[in-house]
Amino acid sequence: MASFSPYRVLVVDDDAGDIAMVSEAIGGGPYPCVIERARDGIEALQRLRPQGVISLVMPHLVLLDINMPRMNGLEVLAEIRADPCLSHLPVVMMSTSTASADVNRAYRTGAGGYIVKPFDIDALFEAIH
């Protein structure tokens, strides 16, 4: 039987409840996952590009909330897309906003997907894939 390396997912959200819900949903999915967490955009970028170190263990996916303190998700996404070492990362935005302007801005900035919170598990897996 083949063994699989676990998928690494970075969940970036300032709401501990949302992080727990996403972590439980992904962790209970059909594929083994390692969930890493960041509470805001600055912490996320510190995890993605540690000072003086090239990270050898990048996440396979970033789930990124839009509305966060210190640095919002769209600013983080713009930084990710501008960084040649990070620009390949798939990023799915998470937000309570259903406004088409917010959705369009996320895709124009480089999001690979957009999911509205609260979401059901099927919608989450659809956005991830």
Side-chain angles (χ1 to χ4, degrees):
M1 177 174 255
S3 66
F4 296 97
S5 296
Y7 290 103
R8 300 184 73 77
V9 179
L10 176 61
V11 181
V12 186
D13 199 317
D14 61 318
D15 185 309
D18 285 347
I19 288 178
M21 181 177 64
V22 170
S23 298
E24 185 175 323
I26 294 173
Y31 305 104
C33 287
V34 173
I35 310 297
E36 297 179 10
R37 298 160 183 90
R39 293 175 303 229
D40 60 44
I42 292 173
E43 186 178 323
L45 290 174
Q46 288 170 341
R47 288 180 175 275
L48 291 170
R49 43 181 192 207
Q51 283 293 61
V53 177
I54 297 174
S55 178
L56 299 176
V57 185
M58 279 289 170
H60 295 99
L61 172 69
V62 178
L63 295 175
L64 183 58
D65 185 29
I66 290 180
N67 295 313
M68 294 181 293
R70 300 198 315 156
M71 182 179 219
N72 74 45
L74 292 170
E75 293 168 325
V76 175
L77 179 59
E79 291 264 340
I80 289 171
R81 293 297 173 244
D83 186 325
C85 295
L86 303 176
S87 63
H88 69 281
L89 287 173
V91 178
V92 173
M93 303 304 291
M94 303 183 298
S95 178
T96 57
S97 174
T98 59
S100 61
D102 291 335
V103 175
N104 290 335
R105 189 168 0 133
Y107 282 115
R108 278 195 319 271
T109 306
Y114 188 99
I115 187 165
V116 177
K117 300 189 291 184
F119 44 79
D120 63 37
I121 293 173
D122 291 335
L124 175 62
F125 282 112
E126 183 178 324
I128 289 173
H129 293 289

